[in-house]
């Protein structure tokens, strides 16, 4: 996988934490930032005095080297990227008073981030592998609120070396996640309690704030832990005190006796190693405690020590106190507790740790197996990087799971790109916005149970007339957005409603089952009837009139963006009807056939699918819309075939890349996601003139979710050069120097639309799974590739002769599943 070094690590911030549990980011410099543990999305959130450091000594003076395990902050880029702030170093001017290492580099194979520290003065080699368990198809196993930091320290010198690996953490219980903290002083602090944790083979500090009410948003626990030989400083006033703790630590008995065994080290640290005295009792008003564990190591030349340090947390309270779209209601004083699902599985931070320890070997192994399945695959480098990084979006602070187990998502996390009107703290554009989630593939494919839950929630919000609003309201007992102005756009988004049908069929293909489909079939029928009655009353298969869409406006008259989704939805309904209501299937197919021919005749201009002039604001008319074939992209993923003439689809794709993939950007009056001499795919262009006076909203912006969609579609059509050009431009923009490769921005950080990148995997490999027919199809491309197939995941290897080797690494396929390949067909 890609290694980020030098200037390319400036903006790298790798999210760590479980699905729906909050996260902390590991920077390319080795420092921790973007602390968002309690459920408040705040890209600038920072918890001071939480770091790692190293002291290395020898038996003969003066060899004693101390280093912070982070590099010095890089100078700002001379031309910082707009609308992002991942390169910000919150403590750049107040680092703890030890030298930093000379340099760092970071390599990522999700869910692992590996940091290498370089310093000529260190007589040891130091590396860190940080991760949170992540196992495809196992949403609960991938939702642990903890991070494991595994350090390896290798003696590269010719002398015996010993020393201390220091891990620290501030007790941030009581912090609101937003208000800046000054050292150990902060709003909400005061009365914080740190308790020394001593168990056989384990040392740690358990942190809480007993004075908080149990329903306080900031109520909870944090934990600093290691199972290595360690001394603990349970309470400290500052980073300086924790560093002084290590500077004064000594290993008297092991050195005197020459016994550096694990047992000897543990015996030595058990009796105390430093004269430094820890404060006692709860923290004073307005302040909290820091805590540290100092892990002892002793290494002969060539020896290596492996040290695990864990940060775990438990914050049970989440409130639906975010901005609400739709009409204002007199909810003054209501707090709307919804809770965090992970907190119902664990009774505190120690329970979180114990759950991990009880399953540690399996979780570590399975997580590594997924990382290696992608890392060691024969995917092109650009695809490997994209597929790997999709996991960071799945576990971003934009997504969460309430105490009742339901999953929700904002469009993104408010940040630098949203300060124009909505500030930079909290979730962007609540909630479960179905027209943005139309692009999401990673979450629902990696965790099909979550995908099904999102459909359950979406269809449960259906209005009596059959419409489905594009936002849901939380708590669910509040009035849904029926017959009111919703916002972004004002009326239920037509593209989102059509996507609801497609996403339901995706769940069916992933194994949701006939009973699940039958449960939702009446809602789907009402939805399609509503769409037909409202936009296709004359039965010609073409949707016309005011069509609210994802650009936060309405399109008018026939257009292939909506039309393609409509055609794909008709075919999906045809397939689902064949399962649960066979007598209705033919009508959907008939309307599809009529609509396909009419759309093609109305909109094809010889190069791409345009839109007849309507004179309405925001219509794109003669424009070349990058999203014009979104429905065909969906159709390929659902194995529905071509919904439009295949030759015209390829011609239109080539036109999109030719006209919309631009190098060089100037001011355009909207949000800037590509600038200077960068390359990106704009939302829409007018290559032959005719740009309307009021053009399509956001037309000049570059959205990574649309870029992934178009690139994946190019792969489905065999247009690899075009796909590579798009992905190369995207990854050069997000190369770590100015933008974070693990935070793709649109209306907020970690924007959900970017999860369209998952579709590149099956588009390239030709892989498709159909749980209804229990058929797994493999493409003709030779090589070894990762796969996720509804109930199983692993790797598939296609030999040059077309033979197939399927290695299931997790889950299971039906015993009667059939694998089909161009030159072979066999049972796994």
């Amino acid at each position: 996988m890609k290694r980020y070094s030098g200037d390319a690590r400036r903006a790298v911030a790798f999210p760590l934490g479980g699905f729906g549990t909050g996260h902390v980011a590991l920077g390319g410099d080795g420092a921790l930032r973007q602390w968002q543990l309690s459920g408040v999305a705040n890209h600038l959130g920072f918890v001071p005095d939480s770091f790692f450091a190293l002291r290395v000594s020898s038996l003969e003076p003066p060899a004693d080297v101390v280093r912070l395990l982070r590099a010095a902050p890089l100078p700002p880029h001379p031309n910082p990227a707009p609308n992002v702030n991942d390169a910000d170093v919150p403590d750049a001017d107040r680092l703890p008073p030890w030298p930093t290492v000379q340099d760092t580099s970071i390599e990522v194979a999700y869910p692992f981030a590996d940091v290498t520290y370089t310093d000529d003065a260190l007589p040891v080699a130091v590396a860190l592998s940080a991760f949170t368990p992540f196992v495809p198809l196992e949403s609960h196993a991938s939702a642990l609120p903890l991070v494991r930091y595994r350090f390896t320290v290798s003696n590269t010198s010719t002398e015996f070396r010993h020393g201390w690996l220091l891990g620290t953490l501030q007790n941030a219980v009581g912090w609101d996640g937003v208000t800046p903290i000054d050292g150990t002083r902060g709003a909400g602090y005061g009365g914080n309690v740190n308790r020394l944790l001593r168990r056989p083979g384990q040392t740690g500090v358990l942190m809480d704030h007993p004075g908080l009410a149990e329903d306080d948003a900031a109520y909870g626990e944090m934990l600093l832990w290691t199972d290595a030989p360690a001394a603990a400083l349970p309470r400290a006033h500052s980073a300086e005190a924790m560093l002084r703790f290590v500077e004064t630590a000594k290993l008297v008995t092991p050195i005197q006796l020459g016994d550096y065994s694990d047992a000897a080290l543990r015996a030595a640290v058990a009796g105390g190693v430093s004269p430094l005295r820890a404060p006692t009792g709860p923290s004073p008003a307005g302040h909290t405690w820091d805590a540290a564990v100092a892990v002892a190591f002793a290494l002969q030349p060539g020896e290596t020590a492996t040290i695990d340090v864990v940060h775990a947390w438990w914050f049970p309270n989440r409130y639906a106190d975010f901005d609400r779209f739709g009409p204002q209601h007199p909810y003054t004083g209501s707090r709307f507790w919804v809770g965090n699902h992970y907190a119902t599985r664990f009774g505190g931070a120690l329970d979180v740790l114990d759950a991990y320890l009880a399953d540690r070997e399996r979780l570590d192994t399975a997580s590594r197996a997924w990382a290696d399945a992608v890392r060691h695959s024969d995917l092109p480098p650009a695809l490997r990087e994209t597929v790997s990084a999709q996991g960071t979006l799945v576990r971003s602070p934009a997504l969460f799971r309430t105490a009742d187990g339901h999953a929700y998502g904002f469009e993104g996390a408010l940040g630098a790109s949203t300060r124009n009107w909505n500030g930079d703290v909290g979730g962007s554009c609540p909630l479960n916005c179905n027209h943005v989630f139309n692009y999401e593939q990673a979450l629902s494919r990696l965790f099909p149970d979550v995908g099904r839950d999102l459909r359950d929630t979406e269809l449960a919000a259906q209005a009596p007339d059959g419409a489905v609003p594009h936002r849901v309201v939380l708590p669910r007992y509040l009035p849904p957005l029926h017959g009111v102005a919703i916002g972004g756009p004002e009326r239920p988004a037509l593209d989102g409603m059509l996507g609801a049908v497609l996403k339901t069929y995706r769940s069916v293909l992933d194994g949701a089952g006939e009973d699940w489909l039958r449960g939702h079939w009446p809602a789907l029928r009402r939805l399609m009837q509503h769409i037909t009655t409202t936009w296709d009353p004359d039965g010609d298969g073409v949707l016309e009139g005011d069509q609210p869409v994802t650009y936060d406006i309405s399109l008018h008259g026939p257009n292939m963006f909506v039309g393609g989704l409509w055609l794909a939805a008709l075919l999906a309904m045809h397939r689902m009807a064949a399962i649960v209501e066979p007598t209705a299937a033919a009508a959907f197919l008939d309307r599809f056939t009529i609509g396909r021919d009419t759309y093609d005749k109305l909109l094809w201009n010889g190069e791409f699918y345009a839109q007849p002039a309507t004179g309405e604001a925001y219509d794109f008319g003669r424009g070349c819309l990058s999203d014009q074939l979104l429905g065909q992209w969906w159709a390929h993923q659902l194995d529905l075939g071509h919904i439009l003439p295949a030759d015209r689809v390829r011609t239109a794709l080539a036109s999109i890349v030719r006209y919309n993939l631009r190098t060089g950007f100037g001011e355009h009056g909207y949000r800037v996601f590509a600038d200077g001499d960068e390359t990106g795919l704009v939302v829409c262009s007018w290559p032959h003139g005719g740009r309307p006076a009021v053009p399509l909203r956001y037309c000049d912006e570059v959205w990574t979710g649309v870029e992934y969609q178009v690139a994946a579609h190019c792969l489905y059509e065999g247009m690899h050069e075009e796909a590579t050009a798009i992905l190369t431009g995207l990854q050069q923009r997000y190369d770590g120097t100015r933008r974070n490769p693990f935070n793709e921005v649109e209306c907020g950080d970690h924007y959900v639309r970017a999860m369209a990148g998952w579709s590149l995997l099956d588009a390239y490999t030709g892989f498709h799974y159909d749980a209804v027919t229990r058929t797994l199809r493999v493409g003709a491309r030779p090589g070894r590739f990762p796969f996720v197939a509804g109930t199983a995941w692993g790797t598939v290897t296609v030999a040059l002769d077309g033979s197939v080797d399927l290695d299931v690494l997790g889950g299971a396929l039906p015993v009667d599943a059939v694998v089909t390949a161009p030159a072979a067909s066999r049972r796994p």
Side-chain angles (χ1 to χ4, degrees):
M1 301 300 286
K2 187 173 181 178
R3 179 172 291 276
Y4 300 88
S5 59
D7 282 355
R9 60 187 167 85
R10 177 186 287 110
V12 171
F14 181 81
L16 294 161
F19 165 56
T21 69
H23 87 213
V24 59
L26 177 63
D29 58 0
L32 300 176
R33 57 185 64 125
Q34 298 178 8
W35 291 84
Q36 300 168 88
L37 305 186
S38 62
V40 178
N42 176 21
H43 221 50
L44 298 178
F46 182 63
V47 176
D49 301 348
S50 302
F51 58 90
F52 298 100
L54 185 71
R55 175 188 170 198
V56 185
S57 305
S58 64
L59 296 180
E60 296 296 332
D64 190 79
V65 183
V66 296
R67 289 292 185 270
L68 298 177
L69 289 179
R70 61 181 290 178
L74 286 168
H77 194 280
N79 182 28
N83 292 315
V84 295
N85 53 23
D86 290 282
D88 291 1
V89 181
D91 59 344
D93 59 348
R94 51 185 187 278
L95 269 61
W98 273 12
T100 61
V101 296
Q102 291 172 343
D103 200 6
T104 57
S105 63
I106 184 169
E107 182 177 357
V108 172
Y110 196 79
F112 296 88
D114 297 334
V115 178
T116 299
Y117 307 92
T118 304
D119 195 302
D120 294 338
L122 280 173
V124 297
V126 189
L128 162 66
S129 182
F131 99 120
T132 300
F134 181 87
V135 185
L137 308 183
E138 297 186 37
S139 61
H140 284 128
S142 304
L144 292 178
L146 62 76
V147 182
R148 187 214 69 190
Y149 304 93
R150 173 164 291 172
F151 291 89
T152 55
V153 183
S154 302
N155 186 353
T156 56
S157 74
T158 59
E159 301 178 30
F160 171 79
R161 305 288 178 176
H162 67 282
W164 305 88
L165 186 284
L166 178 71
T168 75
L169 184 64
Q170 182 169 109
N171 181 341
V173 181
W175 180 48
D176 59 14
V178 181
T179 307
I181 304 167
D182 181 10
T184 57
R185 186 174 56 139
Y189 285 170
N192 295 68
V193 172
N194 287 5
R195 297 176 175 87
L196 180 64
L197 173 69
R198 287 283 192 191
R199 301 197 295 191
Q202 302 178 28
T203 302
V205 180
L206 184 62
M207 310 172 182
D208 63 4
H209 191 328
L212 292 178
E214 291 189 4
D215 64 351
D216 192 294
Y219 172 81
E221 294 181 355
M222 299 172 67
L223 175 67
L224 173 66
W225 173 94
T226 183
D227 57 356
L233 180 66
R235 289 166 294 280
H237 289 291
S238 64
E240 290 86 347
M242 294 185 289
L243 294 175
R244 189 63 182 147
F245 174 64
V246 180
E247 290 172 339
T248 60
K250 60 195 75 175
L251 291 172
V252 176
T253 301
I255 291 174
Q256 288 179 337
L257 300 180
D259 181 1
Y260 304 106
S261 64
D262 182 78
L265 292 177
R266 291 184 183 277
V269 299
V273 298
S274 168
L276 193 72
R277 185 172 182 174
T280 60
S283 63
H287 289 262
T288 188
W289 296 127
D290 295 332
V293 292
V295 177
F297 62 87
L299 301 171
Q300 298 293 340
E303 286 187 337
T304 296
T306 300
I307 299 167
D308 280 2
V309 177
V310 170
H311 289 167
W313 59 92
W314 179 82
F315 292 96
N317 299 318
R318 178 184 290 270
Y319 290 89
D321 55 359
F322 40 78
D323 303 329
R324 296 184 182 277
F325 278 47
Q328 297 298 306
H329 293 287
Y331 294 144
T332 304
S334 299
R335 302 182 66 192
F336 298 132
W337 184 91
V338 293
N340 283 314
H341 182 56
Y342 77 81
T344 68
R345 300 167 52 213
F346 311 113
L350 197 55
D351 275 0
V352 173
L353 172 71
D354 287 343
Y356 169 61
L357 295 179
D359 204 18
R360 173 159 59 170
E361 183 176 353
R362 187 189 75 85
L363 292 174
D364 290 8
T365 300
S367 299
R368 179 60 69 183
W370 171 249
D372 288 346
V374 179
R375 181 209 292 258
H376 300 310
S377 73
D378 292 317
L379 293 170
L383 266 68
R384 280 204 305 269
E385 299 298 328
T386 298
V387 172
S388 176
Q390 289 285 292
T392 65
L393 290 163
V394 168
R395 300 164 80 168
S396 82
L399 304 175
F400 61 96
R401 208 165 190 171
T402 51
D404 58 12
H406 292 299
Y408 297 91
F410 298 97
E411 292 183 26
L414 294 174
S417 64
T418 62
R419 286 182 184 164
N420 58 322
W421 72 280
N422 206 23
D424 61 0
V425 170
S428 170
C429 304
L431 200 59
N432 290 25
C433 180
N434 62 14
H435 60 73
V436 173
F437 274 78
N438 265 2
Y439 298 76
E440 178 275 309
Q441 300 295 334
L443 176 63
S444 296
R445 294 295 310 282
L446 282 162
F447 302 119
D449 62 320
V450 177
R452 292 192 297 272
D453 179 68
L454 291 172
R455 301 290 73 72
D456 295 341
T457 298
E458 180 177 30
L459 294 175
Q462 187 173 39
D465 66 357
V468 174
H470 53 273
R471 305 187 190 280
V472 300
V473 176
L474 194 65
R476 294 161 76 109
Y477 55 76
L478 294 180
L481 299 172
H482 295 166
V484 298
I486 300 173
E490 290 191 4
R491 292 172 297 285
L494 177 54
D495 54 339
M497 287 189 276
L498 294 167
V501 176
L502 301 172
K503 288 174 278 192
T504 301
Y505 187 43
R506 177 181 61 194
S507 288
V508 172
L509 292 175
D510 276 341
E514 183 177 329
D515 289 344
W516 182 84
L517 175 57
R518 286 188 182 279
H520 287 310
W521 186 244
L524 294 176
R525 291 282 267 145
R526 289 194 301 271
L527 172 58
M528 291 299 280
Q529 182 61 40
H530 169 74
I531 294 171
T532 301
T533 301
T534 306
W535 288 282
D536 185 25
D538 58 6
D540 66 354
V542 174
L543 305 185
E544 301 186 59
D546 186 292
Q547 301 161 60
V549 293
T550 195
Y551 311 110
D552 298 338
I553 49 86
S554 288
L555 296 174
H556 306 84
N559 66 88
M560 195 53 79
F561 171 62
V562 170
L565 291 169
W566 165 240
L567 295 176
L570 287 169
L571 281 185
M573 290 294 290
H574 168 70
R575 294 278 183 90
M576 289 186 285
I579 300 171
V580 296
E581 191 184 359
T583 58
F588 293 113
L589 184 59
D590 290 345
R591 191 175 290 261
F592 161 79
T593 302
I594 296 171
R596 174 196 60 196
D597 296 341
T598 307
Y599 269 111
D600 185 62
K601 183 182 299 184
L602 281 173
L603 304 181
W604 180 249
N605 70 0
E607 291 185 289
F608 53 85
Y609 290 97
Q611 182 188 25
T614 65
E616 296 279 358
Y618 301 117
D619 279 358
F620 57 89
R622 296 171 59 190
C624 180
L625 181 68
S626 289
D627 261 339
Q628 64 186 267
L629 297 173
L630 183 68
Q632 183 62 74
W633 171 71
W634 262 107
H636 282 318
Q637 292 181 89
L638 300 179
D639 200 32
L640 299 174
H642 277 96
I643 60 175
L644 294 163
D647 58 337
R648 292 187 174 182
V649 166
R650 286 188 280 273
T651 299
L653 273 176
S655 297
I656 290 169
V657 177
R658 180 185 312 117
Y659 295 133
N660 293 1
L661 188 63
R662 176 185 304 170
T663 298
F665 289 83
E667 291 295 325
H668 55 69
Y670 269 91
R671 300 164 300 189
V672 177
F673 303 126
D675 64 331
D677 60 358
E678 292 179 326
T679 296
L681 191 78
V682 297
V683 168
C684 189
S685 71
W686 286 264
H688 307 303
R691 177 173 171 136
V694 183
L696 182 76
R697 196 175 189 186
Y698 312 125
C699 60
D700 299 313
E701 295 185 356
V702 174
W703 296 353
T704 63
V706 174
E707 290 181 295
Y708 285 135
Q709 177 260 126
V710 175
H713 192 177
C714 286
L715 292 177
Y716 274 119
E717 304 291 347
M719 301 166 62
H720 297 275
E721 184 176 338
E722 290 85 348
T724 300
I726 295 171
L727 293 176
T728 299
L730 190 161
Q731 293 185 344
Q732 286 176 347
R733 299 197 313 273
Y734 285 88
D735 67 351
T737 59
R738 303 170 71 229
R739 297 182 182 87
N740 183 5
F742 311 106
N743 174 27
E744 292 168 54
V745 177
E746 194 185 308
C747 187
D749 295 301
H750 306 286
Y751 201 73
V752 164
R753 200 186 313 266
M755 283 193 275
W758 181 262
S759 63
L760 290 161
L761 177 59
D762 290 353
Y764 182 80
T765 64
F767 188 93
H768 179 74
Y769 179 64
D770 184 339
V772 178
T773 62
R774 295 178 296 284
T775 301
L776 188 153
R777 188 183 66 235
V778 178
R781 186 182 306 281
R784 180 176 180 268
F785 308 108
F787 76 86
V788 179
T791 59
W793 66 274
T795 61
V796 58
T797 302
V798 181
L800 290 174
D801 64 2
S803 59
V804 177
D805 180 30
L806 201 67
D807 187 7
V808 175
L809 300 175
L813 291 170
V815 294
D816 58 347
V818 175
V819 178
T820 65
S825 177
R826 69 178 184 83
R827 295 180 185 276

